[in-house]
Amino acid sequence: MVLRILLLLSGLFRATELAPRCEPGQETLGQCQTVQKAKCVDISLSSCTDVAYTQTMYPNLLDQKSRQVIEYSSEYILISVLHNLLQGECNPDLRLLGCSVLAPQCEKDKVIKPCRHICEHLKKNCLPAFDAIDMAWPYFLDCDRFFAGEEEGCFDPLAKLRGEPEVEEDLPSDLPATFIQFKHHSYSQMVSILKKTASRCSHIATTYSIGRSFEGKDLFVIEFSTKPGRHELLKPEFKYIGNMHGNEVVGKELLIYLAQYLCSEYLLGNPRVQSLINNTRIHLLPSLNPDGYELAAEEGAGYNGWVIGRQTAQNLDLNRNFPDLTSEVYRRAGIRGARLDHIPIPQSYWWGKVAPETKAVMKWLRSIPFVLSASLHGGELVVTYPYDYSKHPLEEKMFSPTPDEKMFKILAKAYADAHPVISDRSEIRCGGSFVRRGGIINGAEWYSFTGGMADFNYLHTNCFEITVEVGCEKFPLEEELFTIWHENRDSLLNYMEMVHRGIKGIVSDKFGNPIKNARISVRGIQHDVTTAADGDYWRLLPPGTYIISAQAVGYSRVMKRVILPAKMKRAGRVDFVLRPVEVREKPWWWSYFSSLDLHKPLWLLKKH
């Protein structure tokens, strides 16, 4: 009896009850052994409180017999720190998978194992992240040993990440195919509409996720193309990103409406939309910050706050979270021969806190050769373009142009001029202070900040990106959304069509083999673009006459003179065939100049 009371006081008796176990013939002899029968208990592990179930059982699948034993185990410590170790990769998926083993689901005093196929899928996607830090796959996530097949009865530990299905509003069955419901959409409603739209236009559309938010929501993209899901030779890649700041919701809704519009109009034979989709691969990411949106949505439409929901669940501003490459450009500007494009990410950047949403965008940019992009924000009515960071750090408002200043102004004007309010000459309105500038402004001249997404796109990849402030209200009432859509629809289409300006082509060797990462240079513009895996490239340029060159390691440079007429609406085709350079051994004295790097005296080498 004393032992029983002590067990109750220590809390160890909560998970079990004492029950007699007798062998045949022992019942009358008083020789029965007393054993513990396990029961379901509430989950009390701090790293596992957000799993999709409420009860577990001790001992767990690792035969750890109490909460205290688990909390002091290396397995539990690992799942608690995986997010930091893997720099946000596979978060919170791996933690929830680990919890399904350390604190498995319990129903009616019976443990249910997690599903094996979930483990196998996650291992396939996340193993490279472990390899990157030279860490073995955790033994307790052995898919064969601790997980079960669906035929055995198992549960999906990641079910919560997919969200609870919402009861959709019943709409009349006789609505036209072009019907768009102008309302605010929750995360699950957004995902549902994107999937339904892709299903309706399955021959030209598909959906995919570029990663997950900090709280585990998929960052969903809908893509439109004649061959959705793959890059096509010489077809430019375009993207729109909305809701980077969670409380700036208009961009999110515009992209949801745009997706439905593109699908419906393509099916109806709209020549402008059909031409756009037939010749462009379009990616729409309505919400980059779904966690922040949820916070803002709790305040409700009409709330015009500037703080709640702006940042991520980690309290990070995504438009300040990208690597600051602009400062590096300013540092290199005075160095003869220094490259001012495709600048690598400094190692020190990873020492700070990098949001999983930011990492997802950077990975996205590496996987697709984007040419043009726009990020949709709210709080003003103006179009801004890089650089967003002032060339003088102490100047908060200083004109800081890129080498492509002329092209960026044309891009910004393409959106602004098609917008009936931005192009309105009245100064007594939202965005009126930018009327004299034509509704556009250099970002740093408006206000300077570091870590922006637009600067990163331009300096790390081939992609040109502008920022569109689509309205002075960050979270407008639903009755305003119809008007906002019609004000922005033509601008959204017009800007996408700008991806076809300038030149495009293929760089290959004399046998027709494509050359990847060849550099396309424009005399007078210190910013190169590089070829994609198939040897194709796109270079946005305003009308004019240019000397274009192509070069690659191991090949000689080729130059061409190109004229782009003012009325030309399609990219001019300029191909290059590069010939290999004869490689010969350097003379013995060449090592004396090895430290010069960019300025080696090539003029000392004899020509053969």
Side-chain angles (χ1 to χ4, degrees):
M1 177 60 73
V2 173
L3 177 61
R4 192 179 182 94
I5 293 172
L6 288 173
L7 284 169
L8 282 168
L9 290 174
S10 67
L12 297 177
F13 194 67
R14 291 174 298 169
T16 60
E17 63 178 12
L18 297 178
R21 184 180 69 189
C22 300
E23 298 296 332
Q26 292 181 333
E27 293 89 346
T28 58
L29 300 177
Q31 296 176 340
C32 297
Q33 294 178 328
T34 300
V35 296
Q36 292 184 335
K37 180 182 177 182
K39 297 183 69 176
C40 294
V41 296
D42 291 339
I43 294 174
S44 54
L45 298 170
S46 59
S47 290
C48 299
T49 54
D50 59 342
V51 293
Y53 48 96
T54 59
Q55 291 199 310
T56 188
M57 180 184 283
Y58 304 122
N60 62 14
L61 298 180
L62 303 183
D63 202 33
Q64 295 167 327
K65 294 180 169 56
S66 70
R67 175 177 63 84
Q68 290 89 341
V69 172
I70 295 172
E71 287 181 333
Y72 284 97
S73 69
S74 58
E75 295 87 354
Y76 184 74
I77 292 173
L78 178 64
I79 69 168
S80 303
V81 300
L82 265 179
H83 170 68
N84 291 326
L85 291 178
L86 302 183
Q87 296 185 339
E89 288 284 332
C90 299
N91 175 71
D93 308 49
L94 279 174
R95 179 175 56 79
L96 294 177
L97 192 72
C99 286
S100 71
V101 174
L102 299 179
Q105 183 175 354
C106 182
E107 287 184 2
K108 298 179 180 179
D109 297 334
K110 181 182 177 181
V111 165
I112 304 174
K113 284 188 174 183
C115 292
R116 183 174 293 118
H117 72 276
I118 300 295
C119 175
E120 290 171 343
H121 178 73
L122 200 58
K123 183 177 181 180
K124 179 182 178 182
N125 291 332
C126 299
L127 191 56
F130 283 85
D131 293 339
I133 62 171
D134 199 26
M135 179 183 284
W137 183 256
Y139 83 92
F140 64 96
L141 299 183
D142 185 323
C143 303
D144 294 321
R145 184 177 174 189
F146 299 109
F147 296 78
E150 292 182 272
E151 68 282 356
E152 303 171 64
C154 63
F155 76 97
D156 179 358
L158 307 184
K160 189 174 182 179
L161 299 181
R162 296 173 179 84
E164 294 295 328
E166 296 189 13
V167 178
E168 295 191 16
E169 183 180 344
D170 289 330
L171 299 173
S173 58
D174 59 346
L175 287 172
T178 55
F179 177 77
I180 296 175
Q181 193 173 15
F182 295 97
K183 56 172 281 186
H184 289 293
H185 295 84
S186 67
Y187 173 77
S188 58
Q189 288 171 339
M190 175 192 74
V191 172
S192 176
I193 286 179
L194 295 182
K195 288 184 174 180
K196 284 182 178 178
T197 302
S199 176
R200 182 166 165 243
C201 288
S202 58
H203 60 303
I204 58 161
T206 189
T207 57
Y208 64 92
S209 171
I210 65 168
R212 286 214 170 107
S213 70
F214 183 76
E215 292 184 344
K217 298 180 185 68
D218 275 303
L219 304 175
F220 264 102
V221 175
I222 184 167
E223 172 198 329
F224 291 91
S225 176
T226 49
K227 293 183 180 178
R230 53 179 280 195
H231 174 70
E232 295 180 66
L233 190 69
L234 290 173
K235 180 176 283 191
E237 307 270 358
F238 178 94
K239 63 181 167 72
Y240 271 130
I241 296 178
N243 205 202
M244 186 180 201
H245 294 139
N247 62 336
E248 297 170 13
V249 307
V250 175
K252 170 190 170 184
E253 301 304 333
L254 286 176
L255 296 185
I256 294 173
Y257 307 154
L258 179 62
Q260 297 172 84
Y261 177 83
L262 291 176
C263 173
S264 297
E265 294 299 310
Y266 191 94
L267 295 178
L268 290 172
N270 182 319
R272 184 181 189 186
V273 171
Q274 287 192 337
S275 176
L276 195 53
I277 293 176
N278 290 343
N279 296 289
T280 320
R281 190 179 179 205
I282 301 165
H283 307 257
L284 309 179
L285 171 55
S287 183
L288 180 58
N289 185 5
D291 299 342
Y293 173 82
E294 282 197 348
L295 283 175
E298 289 177 5
E299 299 290 329
Y303 168 69
N304 197 26
W306 294 79
V307 178
I308 297 177
R310 174 184 173 90
Q311 298 178 318
T312 68
Q314 286 180 287
N315 201 33
L316 293 173
D317 186 328
L318 293 178
N319 209 29
R320 308 293 187 275
N321 195 231
F322 284 84
D324 173 21
L325 304 183
T326 324
S327 295
E328 177 64 13
V329 163
Y330 295 148
R331 187 189 70 80
R332 294 184 182 188
I335 302 175
R336 182 171 172 267
R339 287 183 56 175
L340 302 184
D341 55 80
H342 296 85
I343 297 174
I345 299 172
Q347 190 61 39
S348 59
Y349 168 73
W350 303 108
W351 300 343
K353 187 183 288 187
V354 182
E357 297 89 344
T358 307
K359 290 193 71 175
V361 170
M362 292 194 286
K363 185 177 180 180
W364 194 27
L365 288 170
R366 287 195 299 271
S367 65
I368 296 174
F370 288 110
V371 179
L372 185 60
S373 172
S375 178
L376 308 183
H377 291 243
E380 250 300 352
L381 194 59
V382 67
V383 183
T384 74
Y385 59 89
Y387 292 126
D388 283 321
Y389 184 48
S390 171
K391 58 186 177 183
H392 193 297
L394 299 180
E395 292 289 341
E396 294 184 1
K397 297 178 182 293
M398 184 177 188
F399 176 61
S400 305
T402 68
D404 284 285
E405 163 71 10
K406 188 175 180 181
M407 189 65 219
F408 268 119
K409 288 185 75 171
I410 291 173
L411 293 171
K413 291 287 285 181
Y415 197 100
D417 289 350
H419 194 291
V421 181
I422 298 180
S423 58
D424 183 355
R425 303 302 297 173
S426 171
E427 296 185 18
I428 309 173
R429 61 166 176 83
C430 170
S433 58
F434 300 100
V435 166
R436 296 181 183 179
R437 299 176 180 270
I440 70 171
I441 190 171
N442 171 257
E445 191 174 7
W446 185 21
Y447 64 91
S448 174
F449 64 91
T450 61
M453 185 166 66
D455 283 12
F456 178 78
N457 269 263
Y458 180 69
L459 294 174
H460 189 65
T461 75
N462 292 332
C463 189
F464 286 43
E465 181 173 282
I466 64 170
T467 302
V468 183
E469 300 282 345
V470 293
C472 290
E473 284 189 80
K474 296 194 172 194
F475 205 137
L477 298 172
E478 282 192 343
E479 51 262 36
E480 300 175 58
L481 295 176
F482 175 79
T483 300
I484 293 172
W485 161 247
H486 279 277
E487 289 172 348
N488 285 275
R489 185 188 65 192
D490 286 346
S491 291
L492 291 166
L493 297 175
N494 205 43
Y495 185 71
M496 283 192 284
E497 291 167 340
M498 295 301 293
V499 76
H500 296 284
R501 299 300 176 92
I503 60 173
K504 65 180 180 181
I506 298 173
V507 179
S508 61
D509 63 17
K510 62 182 179 180
F511 302 108
N513 300 311
I515 299 176
K516 179 183 178 181
N517 287 328
R519 300 179 63 79
I520 307 299
S521 305
V522 182
R523 183 180 294 177
I525 301 178
Q526 199 174 356
H527 186 90
D528 297 348
V529 298
T530 57
T531 54
D534 296 328
D536 48 352
Y537 76 90
W538 305 261
R539 203 343 171 159
L540 296 172
L541 287 170
T545 301
Y546 300 96
I547 301 298
I548 312 292
S549 65
Q551 58 184 320
V553 176
Y555 295 88
S556 59
R557 176 185 297 186
V558 174
M559 292 191 294
K560 293 187 177 183
R561 184 172 181 266
V562 175
I563 299 174
L564 296 177
K567 294 183 179 181
M568 190 171 178
K569 303 297 183 184
R570 289 287 167 188
R573 180 76 180 264
V574 183
D575 294 340
F576 292 90
V577 177
L578 305 187
R579 297 187 177 278
V581 175
E582 181 185 350
V583 179
R584 60 189 180 92
E585 190 175 341
K586 297 289 190 303
W588 62 268
W589 45 261
W590 187 252
S591 60
Y592 285 98
F593 303 98
S594 60
S595 63
L596 295 180
D597 195 21
L598 294 172
H599 305 295
K600 291 184 176 68
L602 298 174
W603 42 271
L604 282 176
L605 298 173
K606 289 184 178 180
K607 295 180 180 179
H608 293 271

